[in-house]
Amino acid sequence: MTLLDQTLEDTRATAAATGASATERFRADKASLADTPPERVSTLAREVLEAVHATIRRHDVTYDEFNALKAWLISVGEDGEWPLFLDVWVEHVVEEVNSAQRAGSKGTIEGPFYVPGAPRGTGSTTLSMRADEPGTPLLFTGTVTSVDGTPLPGALVEIWHADADGFYSQFAPDIPEWNLRGAVVADEDGSFSIRTVQPAPYQIPTDGSCGKLIDAAGWHSWRPAHLHLKVGAEGHQLVTTQLYFPGDPHNDDDVASAVKPELMLDPRPAEDGNGAEVVYDFVLDRATTEG
Ligand code: DHB
Ligand code: FE
């Protein structure tokens, strides 16, 4: 590889670069040990291992296949792709069991690309974007209420999404820090308004270990276009969710299994003739009181 090739390579959104950023982000925000008692650790670890053993027996797994698995697991770590792997193929079930008791708006997976502390507006905001930001303009409005219908002024709606090329700021090179990331504080009546551009479908990195698994299994690497959101208010449970656009070919076979019918938007042509507008209202469950 020449120096020029290497430089070009370094500026692309490679699996290794994206994975390293996702790993760093995860360590900064979430990598603390859960306070799990030894009996529970033992049960969970044993049952996962038993599921692996049963698969090996059922399919007469060979030594070559065992060694290929070992090599692959080692490379997932080297690529920093554990956050991506776990969020694509495991998180949706964790989300499902942890939100089963909720009556308010549906949540779904957070994925690896949330960054706290994005610039914040009050009532209405326009996400920071480049002067020549590609994509169809999108006006997103809605309200935040409690399960009993009470508006929640002061609720915080955080939003982040890929650009029209399918890349996330802070995880792909050459995109300004807070591009297409922002937050808005709901007004007195719980309403909010966000101007942005429509995201493109997202392809999980194909040149790393997750891509190798997808190739080897004959799967595909696509997620439908989506907006990521976190909606929270005092005394209420935070909802982490995503919203999707009708007609996307991957709404029915999302690689991350994170689409739910309740999360489908209904875009219409914008009243001002500029792009599309969507309305989505969030309903928050009350915080569970402990003790
Ligand atoms: C991944 C990326 C996403 O944007 C997302 O929503 C879920 C998972 C990933 O690359 O793992
Ligand atoms: Fe995403």
Side-chain angles (χ1 to χ4, degrees):
M1 200 186 272
T2 67
L3 204 57
L4 180 62
D5 287 340
Q6 203 159 9
T7 312
L8 289 173
E9 179 106 334
D10 289 344
T11 57
R12 286 208 312 264
T14 59
T18 309
S21 305
T23 297
E24 197 183 318
R25 186 75 258 155
F26 172 75
R27 285 195 168 132
D29 295 339
K30 300 214 178 92
S32 60
L33 280 180
D35 196 10
T36 307
E39 308 76 51
R40 186 168 160 86
V41 173
S42 174
T43 302
L44 298 180
R46 181 169 34 77
E47 288 191 19
V48 168
L49 290 169
E50 284 169 358
V52 173
H53 302 160
T55 303
I56 295 168
R57 290 198 178 97
R58 198 177 321 124
H59 299 281
D60 293 317
V61 168
T62 67
Y63 256 99
D64 281 351
E65 287 167 339
F66 176 57
N67 287 330
L69 171 68
K70 252 193 216 179
W72 181 79
L73 289 169
I74 292 167
S75 70
V76 177
E78 285 170 349
D79 293 348
E81 280 208 312
W82 279 119
L84 280 68
F85 174 86
L86 290 165
D87 293 354
V88 165
W89 284 297
V90 181
E91 189 188 353
H92 68 101
V93 187
V94 180
E95 193 280 328
E96 176 191 312
V97 303
N98 282 276
S99 65
Q101 304 307 321
R102 290 189 179 190
S105 295
K106 288 286 177 202
T108 190
I109 69 167
E110 176 173 325
F113 301 146
Y114 170 67
V115 183
R120 181 186 287 204
T122 301
S124 60
T125 194
T126 299
L127 299 194
S128 17
M129 60 183 89
R130 293 158 285 192
D132 55 351
E133 190 69 42
T136 308
L138 180 69
L139 173 62
F140 175 27
T141 61
T143 56
V144 187
T145 58
S146 186
V147 271
D148 65 3
T150 317
L152 293 171
L156 185 67
V157 179
E158 293 178 274
I159 179 168
W160 70 103
H161 64 84
D163 66 15
D165 296 319
F167 294 117
Y168 286 86
S169 60
Q170 301 192 39
F171 297 87
D174 303 327
I175 304 178
E177 187 176 21
W178 295 107
N179 212 64
L180 304 180
R181 295 175 180 276
V184 62
V185 179
D187 264 334
E188 289 313 304
D189 58 354
S191 67
F192 66 87
S193 155
I194 298 164
R195 285 187 184 276
T196 183
V197 293
Q198 263 180 242
Y202 170 82
Q203 191 174 24
I204 69 166
T206 53
D207 63 319
S209 310
C210 292
K212 270 200 194 115
L213 170 62
I214 286 170
D215 277 350
W219 299 343
H220 75 77
S221 53
W222 290 94
R223 299 215 57 223
H226 55 278
L227 304 172
H228 287 271
L229 295 124
K230 280 181 183 280
V231 183
E234 213 179 308
H236 290 76
Q237 295 179 46
L238 178 76
V239 172
T240 299
T241 195
Q242 301 183 24
L243 297 171
Y244 301 91
F245 298 85
D248 191 298
H250 296 294
N251 281 337
D252 295 327
D253 68 346
D254 176 13
V255 63
S257 311
V259 181
K260 302 180 184 183
E262 297 88 347
L263 303 178
M264 206 53 68
L265 291 166
D266 182 16
R268 291 157 306 166
E271 235 165 60
D272 62 6
N274 193 18
E277 57 187 45
V278 287
V279 180
Y280 198 88
D281 297 323
F282 294 98
V283 178
L284 302 188
D285 285 81
R286 297 201 153 276
T288 47
T289 44
E290 283 175 38

